[in-house]
Amino acid sequence: MTKVWEKNIRRVVPYVPGEQPKAASVVKLNTNENPYPPSPKVEEMRSRIDDLRLYPDPAASDLVNAIATYTG
């Protein structure tokens, strides 16, 4: 027997993120991204990651492509 809350959960529509521009020159203000680089002190501490101020790719494109290549 399915519980009432299970039926409600199954009706929930998953969140679909908006378009994430690939161009570095685009600042998308409605995604709470910071258009400014990190402070000089943070810059000193980080090694090679340049995208700390952005949300990650919601589609995980690099991972999806790597798995697709691996699995054929």
Side-chain angles (χ1 to χ4, degrees):
M1 179 175 183
T2 305
K3 296 180 176 110
V4 173
W5 65 269
E6 286 179 303
K7 289 180 185 176
N8 289 336
I9 294 290
R10 296 189 191 287
R11 287 191 304 200
V12 172
V13 177
Y15 170 75
V16 177
E19 177 187 354
Q20 298 296 315
K22 301 293 183 201
S25 61
V26 175
V27 175
K28 192 173 175 197
L29 298 177
N30 68 341
T31 56
N32 294 323
E33 294 176 351
N34 183 357
Y36 304 106
S39 76
K41 289 186 178 189
V42 170
E43 191 69 33
E44 282 177 36
M45 299 303 291
R46 72 179 182 98
S47 58
R48 60 179 184 84
I49 301 173
D50 187 39
D51 58 357
L52 289 176
R53 60 192 173 88
L54 305 175
Y55 284 112
D57 175 8
S61 302
D62 290 342
L63 176 62
V64 170
N65 290 333
I67 292 171
T69 300
Y70 178 78
T71 61

